[in-house]
Amino acid sequence: MIDNEVEYSEEQIQLITQYLERENISGDDWGNEEFNEIRGVIKNHYKIEQGYKCPYCTVVYPVNHGMAWDIEHIVAKDKKVQFMFEPRNLCVACKDCNAAKSSKEVLTNPTRVRFPKNSRDYKIVHPHFDEYSEHISAVVPGEFYRPLTEKGEFTIITCRLLRFYGVVQREQPEQEINDLAKVLINSEGAARRVIEDELVRRITAKRKP
Ligand SMILES: [Zn+2]
Protein backbone atom coordinates (compact mmCIF):
# COMPACT_ATOMS: atom_id res chain seq x y z
CA MET A 1 0.00 0.00 0.00
CA ILE A 2 1.32 3.46 -0.90
CA ASP A 3 1.79 5.56 2.24
CA ASN A 4 2.56 8.99 0.84
CA GLU A 5 0.70 10.59 -2.02
CA VAL A 6 2.31 13.08 -4.41
CA GLU A 7 2.18 16.71 -3.29
CA TYR A 8 1.85 19.54 -5.77
CA SER A 9 3.31 23.02 -5.48
CA GLU A 10 1.02 26.07 -5.18
CA GLU A 11 1.61 26.83 -8.85
CA GLN A 12 0.81 23.31 -9.91
CA ILE A 13 -2.38 23.29 -7.85
CA GLN A 14 -3.39 26.52 -9.52
CA LEU A 15 -2.75 25.09 -12.98
CA ILE A 16 -4.78 21.96 -12.17
CA THR A 17 -7.65 23.94 -10.65
CA GLN A 18 -7.84 26.26 -13.65
CA TYR A 19 -7.66 23.32 -16.02
CA LEU A 20 -10.55 21.50 -14.32
CA GLU A 21 -12.72 24.62 -14.69
CA ARG A 22 -12.26 24.67 -18.47
CA GLU A 23 -14.98 23.43 -20.77
CA ASN A 24 -14.59 20.33 -22.92
CA ILE A 25 -11.71 18.75 -21.03
CA SER A 26 -10.78 15.15 -21.74
CA GLY A 27 -8.28 12.46 -20.83
CA ASP A 28 -6.41 13.29 -24.04
CA ASP A 29 -5.22 16.54 -22.42
CA TRP A 30 -2.94 14.52 -20.12
CA GLY A 31 -0.12 14.72 -22.67
CA ASN A 32 -0.40 18.52 -23.05
CA GLU A 33 2.89 20.37 -22.82
CA GLU A 34 1.53 22.50 -19.97
CA PHE A 35 1.52 19.36 -17.78
CA ASN A 36 5.08 18.20 -18.57
CA GLU A 37 6.42 19.32 -15.21
CA ILE A 38 3.51 17.86 -13.24
CA ARG A 39 3.85 14.50 -14.99
CA GLY A 40 7.55 14.47 -14.12
CA VAL A 41 6.80 15.20 -10.47
CA ILE A 42 4.19 12.43 -10.31
CA LYS A 43 6.40 9.81 -11.94
CA ASN A 44 9.43 10.58 -9.77
CA HIS A 45 7.44 10.64 -6.58
CA TYR A 46 5.69 7.32 -7.06
CA LYS A 47 8.70 5.45 -8.47
CA ILE A 48 10.59 6.17 -5.27
CA GLU A 49 7.58 5.91 -2.93
CA GLN A 50 6.71 2.47 -4.38
CA GLY A 51 10.31 1.29 -4.27
CA TYR A 52 10.29 0.66 -8.04
CA LYS A 53 7.63 -1.99 -7.55
CA CYS A 54 4.59 -2.34 -9.78
CA PRO A 55 1.45 -2.24 -7.57
CA TYR A 56 -0.35 -4.93 -9.60
CA CYS A 57 2.23 -7.58 -10.50
CA THR A 58 4.62 -6.65 -7.61
CA VAL A 59 7.61 -7.06 -9.91
CA VAL A 60 10.44 -4.68 -9.03
CA TYR A 61 11.91 -2.80 -11.99
CA PRO A 62 14.91 -0.94 -10.58
CA VAL A 63 15.22 1.19 -13.67
CA ASN A 64 15.60 4.90 -13.41
CA HIS A 65 15.03 5.97 -16.96
CA GLY A 66 11.38 6.78 -17.47
CA MET A 67 10.73 4.23 -20.20
CA ALA A 68 10.16 1.27 -17.89
CA TRP A 69 7.35 3.05 -16.09
CA ASP A 70 3.96 4.41 -16.97
CA ILE A 71 2.01 6.83 -14.84
CA GLU A 72 -1.06 4.85 -13.98
CA HIS A 73 -4.51 6.35 -13.50
CA ILE A 74 -6.29 3.87 -11.28
CA VAL A 75 -9.65 5.16 -12.51
CA ALA A 76 -8.89 5.69 -16.20
CA LYS A 77 -8.53 9.32 -17.26
CA ASP A 78 -10.80 8.61 -20.23
CA LYS A 79 -13.54 7.57 -17.81
CA LYS A 80 -13.17 10.31 -15.18
CA VAL A 81 -11.21 13.31 -16.36
CA GLN A 82 -11.97 15.05 -13.04
CA PHE A 83 -9.78 12.50 -11.21
CA MET A 84 -6.87 12.93 -13.64
CA PHE A 85 -4.63 14.78 -11.15
CA GLU A 86 -6.08 13.37 -7.92
CA PRO A 87 -2.97 12.14 -6.02
CA ARG A 88 -4.68 8.98 -4.78
CA ASN A 89 -5.82 8.12 -8.28
CA LEU A 90 -2.19 8.05 -9.41
CA CYS A 91 0.79 5.76 -9.11
CA VAL A 92 3.31 4.17 -11.47
CA ALA A 93 2.83 0.74 -12.98
CA CYS A 94 4.87 -1.44 -15.30
CA LYS A 95 4.11 -1.25 -19.00
CA ASP A 96 2.56 -4.72 -19.12
CA CYS A 97 0.06 -4.06 -16.32
CA ASN A 98 -0.74 -0.57 -17.53
CA ALA A 99 -1.42 -1.79 -21.07
CA ALA A 100 -3.52 -4.75 -19.91
CA LYS A 101 -5.59 -2.65 -17.52
CA SER A 102 -6.07 0.07 -20.13
CA SER A 103 -9.37 1.97 -19.64
CA LYS A 104 -11.25 -0.88 -17.98
CA GLU A 105 -13.88 0.05 -15.39
CA VAL A 106 -12.66 -0.41 -11.82
CA LEU A 107 -15.32 1.46 -9.87
CA THR A 108 -18.04 -0.41 -8.02
CA ASN A 109 -20.36 2.44 -8.96
CA PRO A 110 -19.26 4.01 -12.26
CA THR A 111 -21.64 6.96 -11.89
CA ARG A 112 -19.65 8.41 -8.97
CA VAL A 113 -18.88 12.09 -9.46
CA ARG A 114 -16.61 12.78 -6.49
CA PHE A 115 -13.40 10.85 -5.98
CA PRO A 116 -14.16 7.60 -4.09
CA LYS A 117 -11.89 7.23 -1.05
CA ASN A 118 -12.74 3.78 0.25
CA SER A 119 -11.48 0.35 -0.61
CA ARG A 120 -15.05 -0.89 -1.09
CA ASP A 121 -15.61 1.68 -3.87
CA TYR A 122 -13.19 -0.26 -6.10
CA LYS A 123 -13.33 -3.65 -7.80
CA ILE A 124 -9.55 -3.63 -8.21
CA VAL A 125 -6.90 -3.99 -5.51
CA HIS A 126 -6.25 -0.29 -4.98
CA PRO A 127 -2.60 0.77 -4.68
CA HIS A 128 -3.54 3.44 -2.11
CA PHE A 129 -6.45 1.86 -0.26
CA ASP A 130 -5.79 -1.88 -0.17
CA GLU A 131 -3.26 -4.22 1.40
CA TYR A 132 -2.15 -6.30 -1.59
CA SER A 133 -1.32 -9.46 0.35
CA GLU A 134 -4.87 -9.67 1.68
CA HIS A 135 -6.17 -10.04 -1.86
CA ILE A 136 -3.49 -11.72 -3.95
CA SER A 137 -0.75 -14.18 -3.24
CA ALA A 138 2.09 -13.50 -5.68
CA VAL A 139 3.27 -17.11 -5.78
CA VAL A 140 5.80 -16.53 -8.54
CA PRO A 141 5.88 -12.74 -9.13
CA GLY A 142 5.65 -11.92 -12.80
CA GLU A 143 4.31 -15.36 -13.61
CA PHE A 144 1.82 -16.85 -11.24
CA TYR A 145 -0.70 -15.37 -8.81
CA ARG A 146 -3.37 -16.85 -6.63
CA PRO A 147 -6.47 -14.79 -5.85
CA LEU A 148 -7.46 -14.65 -2.16
CA THR A 149 -10.56 -12.49 -2.61
CA GLU A 150 -12.92 -11.36 -5.36
CA LYS A 151 -10.90 -8.17 -5.65
CA GLY A 152 -7.81 -10.25 -6.08
CA GLU A 153 -9.41 -12.24 -8.87
CA PHE A 154 -10.67 -9.10 -10.60
CA THR A 155 -7.17 -7.62 -10.48
CA ILE A 156 -5.51 -10.75 -11.83
CA ILE A 157 -7.92 -10.79 -14.77
CA THR A 158 -7.96 -7.02 -15.38
CA CYS A 159 -4.17 -6.63 -15.37
CA ARG A 160 -3.69 -10.01 -17.08
CA LEU A 161 -1.23 -11.05 -14.40
CA LEU A 162 -1.04 -14.68 -15.53
CA ARG A 163 1.61 -13.93 -18.10
CA PHE A 164 3.52 -17.16 -17.85
CA TYR A 165 2.29 -18.12 -21.30
CA GLY A 166 4.56 -15.43 -22.63
CA VAL A 167 7.48 -16.31 -20.40
CA VAL A 168 7.19 -19.97 -21.19
CA GLN A 169 6.94 -19.37 -24.92
CA ARG A 170 9.88 -16.98 -24.95
CA GLU A 171 12.27 -19.20 -23.08
CA GLN A 172 11.27 -22.61 -24.29
CA PRO A 173 7.88 -23.83 -25.44
CA GLU A 174 6.36 -25.91 -22.69
CA GLN A 175 3.15 -27.31 -24.08
CA GLU A 176 2.07 -28.95 -20.85
CA ILE A 177 2.24 -25.77 -18.78
CA ASN A 178 0.43 -23.88 -21.49
CA ASP A 179 -2.36 -26.45 -21.67
CA LEU A 180 -2.66 -26.60 -17.90
CA ALA A 181 -2.93 -22.83 -17.70
CA LYS A 182 -5.79 -22.86 -20.20
CA VAL A 183 -7.63 -25.51 -18.19
CA LEU A 184 -7.10 -23.48 -15.01
CA ILE A 185 -8.90 -20.45 -16.37
CA ASN A 186 -12.06 -22.47 -16.95
CA SER A 187 -11.99 -24.44 -13.70
CA GLU A 188 -13.53 -23.74 -10.31
CA GLY A 189 -13.33 -24.70 -6.66
CA ALA A 190 -11.29 -27.72 -5.60
CA ALA A 191 -10.31 -28.62 -9.16
CA ARG A 192 -8.93 -25.15 -9.61
CA ARG A 193 -6.77 -25.42 -6.50
CA VAL A 194 -5.36 -28.75 -7.61
CA ILE A 195 -4.45 -27.38 -11.04
CA GLU A 196 -2.96 -24.25 -9.48
CA ASP A 197 -0.77 -26.29 -7.17
CA GLU A 198 0.42 -28.39 -10.07
CA LEU A 199 1.16 -25.31 -12.18
CA VAL A 200 3.14 -23.68 -9.40
CA ARG A 201 5.10 -26.90 -8.91
CA ARG A 202 5.98 -27.08 -12.60
CA ILE A 203 6.83 -23.41 -13.01
CA THR A 204 9.10 -23.36 -9.96
CA ALA A 205 10.69 -26.68 -10.94
CA LYS A 206 11.47 -25.28 -14.38
CA ARG A 207 13.31 -22.31 -12.84
CA LYS A 208 15.77 -24.41 -10.89
CA PRO A 209 19.13 -24.76 -12.66
ZN1 LIG B 1 3.04 -4.79 -13.32
Side-chain angles (χ1 to χ4, degrees):
M1 199 191 301
I2 299 171
D3 292 323
N4 299 300
E5 58 196 65
V6 66
E7 283 180 38
Y8 300 123
S9 69
E10 287 296 322
E11 272 175 33
Q12 291 163 346
I13 290 171
Q14 211 172 24
L15 176 62
I16 293 167
T17 310
Q18 283 168 358
Y19 167 75
L20 292 174
E21 284 166 358
R22 286 181 212 163
E23 280 175 41
N24 300 321
I25 55 173
S26 91
D28 295 337
D29 302 331
W30 176 247
N32 287 3
E33 209 180 323
E34 58 185 322
F35 301 132
N36 285 358
E37 186 188 287
I38 294 180
R39 289 197 311 273
V41 167
I42 293 167
K43 198 182 253 192
N44 277 332
H45 172 84
Y46 284 116
K47 267 196 304 192
I48 293 161
E49 177 67 27
Q50 293 169 221
Y52 297 87
K53 187 191 255 195
C54 176
Y56 301 123
C57 65
T58 74
V59 173
V60 175
Y61 298 87
V63 193
N64 227 333
H65 70 84
M67 295 308 287
W69 293 100
D70 282 333
I71 295 177
E72 148 73 357
H73 290 85
I74 297 152
V75 175
K77 57 189 185 311
D78 298 333
K79 289 226 160 25
K80 299 279 180 194
V81 67
Q82 69 267 40
F83 305 160
M84 191 158 77
F85 294 101
E86 160 58 50
R88 286 161 302 175
N89 192 44
L90 293 164
C91 62
V92 290
C94 77
K95 300 235 169 236
D96 285 346
C97 287
N98 190 259
K101 181 171 165 284
S102 173
S103 294
K104 289 172 188 160
E105 184 60 68
V106 300
L107 286 174
T108 314
N109 172 7
T111 64
R112 288 285 294 252
V113 175
R114 309 193 92 184
F115 180 69
K117 297 173 187 162
N118 292 298
S119 166
R120 65 170 179 276
D121 298 323
Y122 295 87
K123 294 191 284 180
I124 198 161
V125 176
H126 198 290
H128 290 269
F129 302 137
D130 287 310
E131 199 59 66
Y132 188 90
S133 60
E134 288 174 12
H135 300 281
I136 297 174
S137 163
V139 186
V140 186
E143 292 179 48
F144 192 70
Y145 301 79
R146 195 193 299 268
L148 305 174
T149 62
E150 251 181 68
K151 252 190 188 214
E153 182 150 345
F154 180 86
T155 305
I156 290 171
I157 294 167
T158 303
C159 298
R160 253 183 262 131
L161 293 186
L162 301 177
R163 296 190 192 119
F164 45 75
Y165 302 110
V167 171
V168 165
Q169 279 161 2
R170 258 204 313 274
E171 289 175 350
Q172 168 191 348
E174 180 80 64
Q175 195 59 42
E176 278 180 32
I177 291 183
N178 220 350
D179 291 345
L180 213 50
K182 282 174 189 158
V183 175
L184 174 77
I185 285 162
N186 296 310
S187 64
E188 282 174 13
R192 185 175 185 134
R193 273 189 296 279
V194 171
I195 299 168
E196 277 181 1
D197 288 343
E198 181 58 21
L199 255 176
V200 171
R201 199 184 62 73
R202 291 192 194 193
I203 291 167
T204 43
K206 228 173 90 61
R207 293 181 133 207
K208 285 181 190 127

